Amino acid sequence: RRAVLLQGAVARAHYESLCSEEWLQLTASELIFTRRAEHVTQRVGQLGHGLGSSLGGGLVSGGLGGAGGLGVGGPLGARTQSLCVQLSAVLSVNAEPLPAFAPSFHCVSAETVGRTHYWLVRSARDRDAWLLAVSRAVERRRARAAGAETAEALLVDEVREGEGQAAGWLGALGNAISSAADEVAHRLSEVLLGTGASAGGGEEDAREVANPTAEEGRKEG
């Protein structure tokens, strides 16, 4: 169940002078308008008859754990959802001037891309309560979104930094292996050349041992 931060009866404006009496709930992520099953769009002058008398009178704040009108059978009886506005889409929340067609009501608006949603309440106190609560909820939503984006950006930077370090380590390792291979080849070449020289001297000594008389004759001559 979504925690409700504020709720109460309002008149949701459809266009000038025509509205419907609905129950508005503010959660951490949404503005939820619900209406009676026997929904009727009325002119503002008709508000206040019957159900309209509850406008502004049922404003309730705080997390309501299942009481105070949550669910289908609340203060307005059986009702269905008529509109849901995501707070992430709200650009601004404003207190509107007293509407000329309903000077006894106070108006609040929530602006989104392509549409502005208006609702009327009975008193300036209720208007200010909605204005403050919705504005704070929108700001908290933005802060959470900004925090998530910042965390994601930091993670991407860390990954890229790690990739750069890994590339540097691999490059250094490749250079070390190449240098070691060159050193091994050089040492092996020296060993092979030294072995060849030693082999040549051995053959010469063997010839001298095999024919000592010839060598002595060369010395006497």
Side-chain angles (χ1 to χ4, degrees):
R1 186 185 293 272
R2 291 167 293 193
V4 176
L5 306 177
L6 186 67
Q7 62 179 340
V10 302
R12 183 166 72 89
H14 298 281
Y15 48 92
E16 186 172 335
S17 78
L18 288 179
C19 61
S20 57
E21 298 176 14
E22 303 189 11
W23 189 258
L24 176 57
Q25 293 178 324
L26 169 66
T27 71
S29 60
E30 299 168 324
L31 278 168
I32 305 170
F33 292 85
T34 56
R35 63 192 180 198
R36 294 174 296 169
E38 64 278 13
H39 165 69
V40 177
T41 299
Q42 298 176 324
R43 293 194 177 278
V44 173
Q46 296 175 305
L47 294 175
H49 300 289
L51 187 62
S53 61
S54 66
L55 287 178
L59 199 62
V60 183
S61 63
L64 305 177
L70 296 181
V72 176
L76 303 187
R79 61 186 189 273
T80 58
Q81 180 174 306
S82 61
L83 177 67
C84 180
V85 180
Q86 297 294 325
L87 296 185
S88 58
V90 174
L91 304 177
S92 65
V93 184
N94 303 291
E96 299 291 337
L98 292 176
F101 58 87
S104 61
F105 287 86
H106 297 266
C107 185
V108 184
S109 68
E111 180 185 1
T112 63
V113 176
R115 183 177 180 183
T116 301
H117 305 276
Y118 298 90
W119 63 95
L120 308 178
V121 293
R122 282 290 191 185
S123 68
R125 179 180 178 181
D126 290 341
R127 177 202 61 198
D128 293 342
W130 279 114
L131 183 65
L132 180 61
V134 178
S135 297
R136 285 180 174 176
V138 169
E139 289 303 321
R140 284 194 295 267
R141 187 78 175 175
R142 289 174 180 169
R144 285 196 297 270
E149 291 176 358
T150 301
E152 182 179 359
L154 291 175
L155 180 59
V156 170
D157 290 342
E158 290 178 359
V159 170
R160 289 176 177 172
E161 182 179 354
E163 290 174 348
Q165 291 178 350
W169 294 335
L170 289 175
L173 179 60
N175 292 335
I177 291 174
S178 178
S179 298
D182 291 343
E183 182 68 19
V184 168
H186 179 68
R187 293 293 178 87
L188 183 59
S189 177
E190 289 181 345
V191 170
L192 292 175
L193 290 175
T195 302
S198 299
E203 291 175 358
E204 198 171 312
D205 293 343
R207 285 196 298 271
E208 291 177 358
V209 172
N211 195 2
T213 304
E215 183 63 24
E216 288 176 359
R218 286 197 299 272
K219 289 179 179 180
E220 289 175 359

